[in-house]
Amino acid sequence: MRYLANNEQLIQRLSESYPIRRAAQLTLYAFYRSKMIAEKNHWTPERFQAFFKNFNQNFRQELESAKKELKRK
């Protein structure tokens, strides 16, 4: 794995590939879009952090309940 990560030619070819370029484009789009929405709604960093904390808790609860439901079946 270390060899692959340090192989400059492989990294160069991957960076020029469509899936990697597209992933980078989508990541930047999501970043700037969320930044624009946050500025529009006047979200502070604390409010944004609280939102993600709440989202994470809800996601984990739903995931656990789905696991329990699958075990029952």
Side-chain angles (χ1 to χ4, degrees):
M1 196 65 153
R2 185 172 289 179
Y3 170 75
L4 295 175
N6 292 326
N7 188 336
E8 190 175 331
Q9 290 175 334
L10 177 64
I11 301 299
Q12 183 66 30
R13 287 186 68 195
L14 280 174
S15 70
E16 294 170 354
S17 70
Y18 178 77
I20 300 296
R21 284 186 294 129
R22 187 66 179 149
Q25 289 170 348
L26 292 173
T27 301
L28 282 174
Y29 172 78
F31 173 77
Y32 284 115
R33 179 85 170 135
S34 62
K35 183 178 176 184
M36 184 182 70
I37 290 170
E39 288 173 355
K40 179 182 174 186
N41 294 326
H42 305 290
W43 280 30
T44 62
E46 293 81 19
R47 188 172 171 197
F48 206 61
Q49 186 177 22
F51 168 78
F52 277 112
K53 184 178 180 181
N54 189 23
F55 176 82
N56 192 20
Q57 288 174 345
N58 289 340
F59 181 79
R60 286 185 181 177
Q61 288 174 352
E62 291 296 323
L63 186 62
E64 287 300 320
S65 66
K67 284 180 183 179
K68 288 178 184 176
E69 187 176 325
L70 284 174
K71 283 183 181 180
R72 278 188 263 145
K73 292 182 177 181

